[in-house]
Amino acid sequence: MSVRANQLAALADAVAAVLPLSSPADATLHEFFRRHRQLGQRDRAFIAEGVFATLRRRRSLAAQAGSTEPRRLALAACIRELGISLRELEPALSREEQVWAREFKARRPALTPAEAADLPDWLWDALGVALPHERDALSRAWLAAAPLDLRVNTLKTTREEARAALAADGIECTPTPFSPLGLRATGRPALQHHPLYASGAIEVQDEGSQLLCFLVAPRRGEMVVDFCAGAGGKTLLLGAMMHSEGRLYAFDVSARRLARLKPRLARSGLSNVNPVLIESEGAARVKRLAGKIDRVLVDAPCSGFGTLRRNPDLKWRHTARAIDELAAKQKRLLAAAAALCKPGGRLVYATCSVLPAENEAIVDDFLAAHPAFAPRDAAAELARAGIAIDCGQYLRLLPHRHGCDGFFAAVLERRS
C-alpha cells in the first residue's frame, strides 16, 4: 500500500496521543478518532493497526530506531511490522527521513531477552519464575493479534445455524476447539450491523471467557451473582445457561460499564438479569444477599496480562507495585463474594492474568482463612459439560497453548 503524507502524520499523532499511557489505548484511540472525524474508514484501520503494532513492539522498535519519538516509532512500525516498503513510504517522507528509514532497515541492534520479547524487565523476570519453560512461547504469542471469537446465544440460535448464516454473508468461521458455543472468525469482519449481532443471536466473547461460565455451571431457577460484571459478556452467557429462569445479579462499581451492558441485555432476550450498581464490595445491596446465593462468579480486576494480544498497552502501564495493589483488592473481593454463598454453593474466582500472585496465591490465602470452602477439580467440572481440557485442579489457559486469551479460574465450594 502507498502511504500518503497525511496518513503518516495522523498515525504519528495517534501514537503520540497513546504513548503517555495514562489511559487505556483503545479509549485514547477512540477519542482521537472522535476528534478527527475527517478520517475515512481505511485511514482509521491503518492508524489503528499502526498504533497497536507500535504498542506490541515498542521496546524493540525503539532500540532499532534509536529513538522514542512518536513519528520515528510510527515510521519504524510501518517498515518493520506492517511490511510497507520504502518505495511505498518515500512519497510521505522528507529527504532526511528517507535516509533514516534506509539506515533503520539495515540496523540490527543487540537486544536483551526482555527487549527482544518486547516486555518490561520486571515482567520478563516474573514470567521466568512463574512459567520458566513456557516464557518464550508465551511472549511470542503475545506479539500477534488475537483472533475474533464469537459466542452464540442459545436462546436464539445454534452454533451450526449461526455459522451457516455468517458464511452466507461471506464471513467464514470455525468452531472454537473447547467452548461448544464459540465460533472463531477468519480475519476481522465488521459485525456491528450484521443481523445476527443486531438481534442478539451472537456476541463477541473470547473463548476463554466463555469457558469460565461452564465452571460456574448455573442451573434453571437458581440465584446467581456475577460479582464484577463489567460490560456483561459473562453475565449474558450465564443467563442463557439458566434459560432465563431464576435470578442473576450483575454487580459492578462502574455505572459506565453497566451502561454498556444495557443494550446487549436488550438484544439478548434475557429477563432474569438484574444489573446492580454498588459503591463497593461491602455495599448494603451486597450484604443483604449473604448466605442466599447458589453460584457466585468473581472475575476480579487484574493486570489483564492474559489479554496482551488485544491490549498490548497493559504491559507498559502496569508495574510490579501495581500487582501488589491489585492482589490486595482481589483478596477483599473474593472474601466479600464468599459471604454470599449458601451452604453447598459454588464460588468461582477468575482473572485474565497469568501471574501466580493474582491467581494461586489469592486462592491459597483465601482457603487458609476460610475453612468452610474446599477446591473442586476444574478439569472434572468442564468434563461434565463435554469440554476436555487437561488442566487439573485449577483452569489455566494460555494463548500459545489454547489459542484463547490467558485466564485462571478456581472452583471453590462451600461445605454443606
Side-chain angles (χ1 to χ4, degrees):
M1 62 171 287
S2 182
V3 177
R4 303 188 310 274
N6 63 337
Q7 282 181 307
L8 183 60
L11 172 58
D13 288 345
V15 169
V18 167
L19 277 187
L21 301 170
S22 54
S23 300
D26 56 352
T28 303
L29 196 56
H30 178 80
E31 176 60 21
F32 179 86
F33 288 145
R34 192 189 66 79
R35 288 187 285 105
H36 296 81
R37 296 185 185 277
Q38 78 280 6
L39 292 169
Q41 200 60 41
R42 287 188 179 181
D43 290 341
R44 288 169 185 245
F46 166 72
I47 291 166
E49 187 179 10
V51 165
F52 279 88
T54 302
L55 289 170
R56 284 193 189 93
R57 306 305 304 266
R58 186 181 84 156
R59 197 169 183 192
S60 66
L61 283 172
Q64 187 172 348
S67 172
T68 58
E69 192 270 324
R71 186 174 172 93
R72 286 282 195 256
L73 289 177
L75 184 52
C78 286
I79 296 168
R80 203 185 78 184
E81 300 305 314
L82 304 189
I84 301 173
S85 71
L86 296 183
R87 182 176 59 81
E88 292 169 314
L89 273 172
E90 280 182 350
L93 304 181
S94 67
R95 287 189 178 181
E96 183 268 332
E97 285 178 325
Q98 292 176 20
V99 172
W100 179 89
R102 286 190 287 273
E103 291 174 349
F104 167 82
K105 198 166 184 180
R107 196 176 297 137
R108 295 292 183 270
L111 301 177
T112 67
E115 285 176 325
D118 280 284
L119 293 173
D121 290 338
W122 76 266
L123 181 54
W124 175 256
D125 293 341
L127 291 173
V129 175
L131 297 161
H133 304 298
E134 298 189 81
R135 176 173 64 177
D136 289 345
L138 175 59
S139 59
R140 283 195 300 271
W142 277 339
L143 297 178
L148 177 64
D149 285 357
L150 310 174
R151 190 258 308 161
V152 299
N153 179 355
T154 52
L155 299 181
K156 298 197 170 192
T157 191
T158 67
R159 180 159 72 172
E160 293 71 26
E161 290 169 348
R163 185 185 182 192
L166 290 166
D169 290 326
I171 301 172
E172 296 300 323
C173 298
T174 56
T176 47
F178 302 109
S179 170
L181 303 178
L183 290 168
R184 184 157 292 158
T186 300
R188 307 293 298 180
L191 292 169
Q192 58 266 38
H193 300 302
H194 193 278
L196 285 181
Y197 183 80
S199 68
I202 60 171
E203 276 284 345
V204 175
Q205 186 178 18
D206 182 79
E207 183 184 23
S209 175
Q210 297 176 39
L211 294 175
L212 299 185
C213 297
F214 286 96
L215 291 177
V216 181
R219 299 170 181 155
R220 294 175 189 253
E222 288 186 330
M223 291 182 69
V224 179
V225 169
D226 187 352
F227 204 78
C228 306
K234 286 174 282 295
T235 303
L236 298 177
L237 177 48
L238 293 172
M241 293 172 79
M242 297 167 71
H243 299 270
S244 199
E245 297 177 14
R247 188 168 289 261
L248 173 54
Y249 294 95
F251 289 161
D252 206 273
V253 295
S254 169
R256 181 178 55 82
R257 285 194 292 265
L258 285 179
R260 289 165 56 201
L261 167 60
K262 190 174 181 180
R264 301 175 78 188
L265 184 56
R267 293 195 301 265
S268 72
L270 293 171
S271 59
N272 66 332
V273 178
N274 296 270
V276 181
L277 179 65
I278 58 175
E279 307 83 40
S280 70
E281 68 271 13
R285 300 182 81 176
V286 175
K287 289 182 176 178
R288 65 167 160 253
L289 295 174
K292 298 178 181 178
I293 303 300
D294 296 286
R295 319 252 167 174
V296 181
L297 170 62
V298 184
D299 184 13
C302 68
S303 63
F305 287 152
T307 70
L308 284 182
R309 295 181 304 170
R310 65 182 85 248
N311 300 304
D313 54 311
L314 291 175
K315 60 187 173 184
W316 311 120
R317 294 179 61 216
H318 282 306
T319 63
R321 182 176 177 180
I323 304 305
D324 294 335
E325 294 169 354
L326 283 166
K329 179 186 289 188
Q330 290 155 357
K331 291 176 183 178
R332 292 197 309 271
L333 289 169
L334 183 55
L340 304 185
C341 283
K342 69 184 189 182
R346 175 171 294 187
L347 173 64
V348 175
Y349 173 77
T351 74
C352 53
S353 175
V354 300
L355 298 181
E358 299 183 83
N359 297 334
E360 292 91 343
I362 303 300
V363 175
D364 290 346
D365 284 355
F366 172 82
L367 290 173
H370 297 80
F373 284 83
R376 293 288 175 261
D377 189 85
E381 296 300 330
L382 291 173
R384 289 189 178 91
I387 299 168
I389 299 181
D390 185 18
C391 60
Q393 185 176 57
Y394 298 146
L395 177 66
R396 299 178 184 88
L397 299 173
L398 296 168
H400 65 283
R401 203 192 301 168
H402 302 101
C404 58
D405 284 346
F407 279 96
F408 169 88
V411 181
L412 311 171
E413 199 165 281
R414 185 173 179 180
R415 305 180 203 274
S416 298

